[in-house]
Amino acid sequence: MSKKELQKFKKASKLFYRVERRLLARHKGHVVAIEPDSGQYFLGKDVLEAARHAMTALPGRVFDFFRIGYPAVHKLRYHK
């Protein structure tokens, strides 16, 4: 991740933690896509739905994804 990408992710993270409290009661478990430069965010029941809303509204932009009420959007499990 480049320094510029890291800065944008940090900005998106700060925005997420500001709006997460408002969204938690009604949207726990949903995914939010945040465009860090504009501060706009888009909700969906999953990453695909949030991405569709985001890319329709702001085509060509880069978004960071967060799951409301959880520390990560995805889990990767490995079983032998």
Side-chain angles (χ1 to χ4, degrees):
M1 182 180 284
S2 72
K3 188 175 180 177
K4 185 177 179 180
E5 289 171 326
L6 183 59
Q7 288 173 336
K8 285 189 180 227
F9 177 74
K10 286 180 180 181
K11 189 175 180 181
S13 295
K14 286 179 185 178
L15 292 166
F16 171 67
Y17 291 117
R18 269 193 251 151
V19 299
E20 184 184 28
R21 286 181 234 135
R22 277 186 280 151
L23 301 173
L24 190 57
R26 293 188 66 193
H27 301 286
K28 185 175 182 178
H30 288 152
V31 173
V32 60
I34 298 179
E35 198 287 310
D37 292 328
S38 69
Q40 289 184 284
Y41 62 91
F42 305 89
L43 294 170
K45 291 182 181 177
D46 55 29
V47 173
L48 186 57
E49 186 177 337
R52 283 183 179 151
H53 292 303
M55 290 187 297
T56 299
L58 300 171
R61 300 282 182 92
V62 176
F63 302 90
D64 291 297
F65 295 86
F66 303 88
R67 187 170 302 277
I68 299 167
Y70 294 90
V73 175
H74 297 286
K75 260 189 222 183
L76 177 64
R77 294 183 185 173
Y78 175 73
H79 297 280
K80 283 187 174 182

